[in-house]
Amino acid sequence: MGTGTCHCPPHRTTCCSTVFNRRSRWVLGRAAVSLEVAGMSPAEEAVYRLLVLSGRVSAKDVALRTGLSQEKAARILDVLIATGLASHTDETPRHFSAAPPDVALLPRLKRSAEALDLARIEAAQLIEAYQETRRRHDASQLLEVISGAEALRQQLRQIQSSAQHEMLWFCKAHYVAMPSGSNAEEFEALARGVRYRALYETAFFDDDGAVDNVVAGMRAGEVARSAPHLPLRLAIADRSVAVMPPVVV
């Protein structure tokens, strides 16, 4: 494979990537770049790799072995020096050598990893905002159907764990998902200051352990009332999310 020629504008240093061929000559191509995440352009990476493998070279050597013009090679070497990836001698012509990769690259990669983590958090927030916007503008996004007692139980636990201010309940007789005494999330939420207001159907207290469970909740801070009959089972978290049956009976 022979030496290629760079046809990119002279003011750019990010136009070409390079590969090292079998005859140890750097040639221009469109190879995949592995160090862009460290903030290096393809051309900068190519020259830095050349310095790592060659030990010490002049700008002319870099140009000859990469196919870059000497002017472009000199600009890239200046960039590597300015960013701490290379150093040069004081002799004329100057010779250049690579900074140790563990010193030059690892801190860059760590910063990139931290930036990526922050980007993931930001992306998650944007996804949530996007979905919330769709729910406000598209009625089909307002409802989620939950099937099965276990799925319902997990949803009730989740909204209680996420509640910041208040939980409101309509509790009918004969539990569907959460037997009396199994709602540990209520006591955890009460402990962190979430208000609980519950309205119990009178027949609810016929279930085993129901009275003791309600008394324990009231002692922890729950406000409880009863009514002869309730139209539906209902749980509302922070007056923004509700779990209820699709049909009121």
Side-chain angles (χ1 to χ4, degrees):
M1 184 180 295
T3 301
T5 301
C6 178
H7 298 289
C8 299
H11 64 278
R12 294 182 58 190
T13 62
T14 58
C15 51
C16 300
S17 58
T18 61
V19 292
F20 199 57
N21 73 2
R22 295 179 181 177
R23 292 184 294 167
S24 300
R25 291 177 58 84
W26 288 81
V27 295
L28 297 175
R30 294 291 176 183
V33 178
S34 59
L35 293 178
E36 269 187 314
V37 70
M40 300 173 67
S41 72
E44 291 163 5
E45 177 186 353
V47 174
Y48 179 73
R49 288 181 181 274
L50 175 60
L51 296 181
V52 168
L53 295 175
S54 301
R56 195 172 71 162
V57 293
S58 67
K60 182 178 180 179
D61 293 331
V62 171
L64 288 173
R65 297 174 66 177
T66 62
L68 296 169
S69 69
Q70 191 163 337
E71 180 184 356
K72 185 180 287 288
R75 286 204 308 271
I76 293 173
L77 287 166
D78 287 341
V79 170
L80 295 181
I81 291 171
T83 54
L85 290 166
S87 59
H88 65 80
T89 64
D90 294 329
E91 64 190 29
T92 303
R94 295 188 303 177
H95 283 72
F96 300 83
S97 58
D102 56 335
V103 176
L105 292 180
L106 293 185
R108 285 167 164 256
L109 294 172
K110 181 180 179 182
R111 289 193 296 269
S112 296
E114 292 171 350
L116 183 59
D117 289 339
L118 292 175
R120 288 196 182 101
I121 294 173
E122 182 65 21
Q125 293 173 345
L126 288 172
I127 291 170
E128 182 178 351
Y130 173 79
Q131 293 174 341
E132 178 63 25
T133 299
R134 289 195 64 192
R135 283 193 291 268
R136 289 199 306 267
H137 292 86
D138 185 352
S140 67
Q141 300 294 322
L142 293 174
L143 299 177
E144 176 184 355
V145 178
I146 303 169
S147 300
E150 178 59 28
L152 176 58
R153 186 158 43 247
Q154 290 297 327
Q155 185 67 32
L156 291 171
R157 287 172 173 164
Q158 180 180 338
I159 66 170
Q160 292 180 91
S161 297
S162 301
Q164 299 295 316
H165 307 291
E166 182 183 57
M167 284 295 307
L168 303 175
W169 292 86
F170 276 8
C171 301
K172 286 180 66 66
H174 312 302
Y175 72 86
V176 173
M178 303 187 78
S180 294
S182 66
N183 189 12
E185 285 73 20
E186 174 180 354
F187 296 96
E188 294 172 0
L190 285 167
R192 66 174 185 270
V194 177
R195 297 187 304 273
Y196 267 69
R197 298 168 61 192
L199 187 59
Y200 294 92
E201 192 171 66
T202 302
F204 176 91
F205 297 103
D206 295 336
D207 293 344
D208 292 340
V211 174
D212 292 340
N213 181 59
V214 173
V215 170
M218 293 177 66
R219 286 175 176 169
E222 174 188 309
V223 177
R225 299 288 187 271
S226 66
H229 175 73
L230 293 176
L232 77 166
R233 304 179 194 275
L234 177 66
I236 304 175
D238 294 333
R239 305 199 178 197
S240 61
V241 179
V243 178
M244 58 181 290
V247 179
V248 178
V249 293

